[in-house]
Amino acid sequence: ANIVTEAEAVKATAEIEARHTREQAEDLRAKAEFEVQSLKTRTQIECRVIKARAEMEVRDLKASIEADRLANFEYEAQEFAAKAQSAKEAERRARPPHSGRSPRG
């Protein structure tokens, strides 16, 4: 009877330890799932931040390129206007002076 009682006690202890181990395993699994979900969420947020920064940099770059293009166009237009003005002045200087009388033939 002593051996049976001892065996039952060992069995009961083993069952308690097994239940405790299962509870610990479930707790660890729940913690791991929470950590994975938390990591996914942080990663998604970081990706959105990186994407937003990249989009902002692209917009800034496009705006800068457009500003440079417009500045270059404006410079070329001013250069063309200056050349046109010089050509007008050269044409005027090349004409004979106007005497005010109509030529007779």
Side-chain angles (χ1 to χ4, degrees), residues 59-104:
R59 278 194 304 271
D60 289 349
L61 187 57
K62 283 182 178 178
S64 176
I65 289 169
E66 184 64 15
D68 287 348
R69 193 179 71 75
L70 290 175
N72 189 45
F73 179 76
E74 186 177 333
Y75 172 78
E76 288 175 4
Q78 288 173 353
E79 212 173 50
F80 181 78
K83 285 180 183 177
Q85 184 63 35
S86 294
K88 278 185 185 175
E89 290 172 7
E91 185 182 320
R92 197 175 25 127
R93 285 193 300 268
R95 275 193 237 133
H98 190 55
S99 63
R101 290 183 283 159
S102 58
R104 292 181 215 184

Side-chain angles (χ1 to χ4, degrees), residues 17-30:
E17 287 178 0
R19 187 171 40 246
H20 182 66
T21 302
R22 276 193 303 274
E23 289 170 357
Q24 283 182 323
E26 288 173 10
D27 188 42
L28 288 173
R29 192 184 80 243

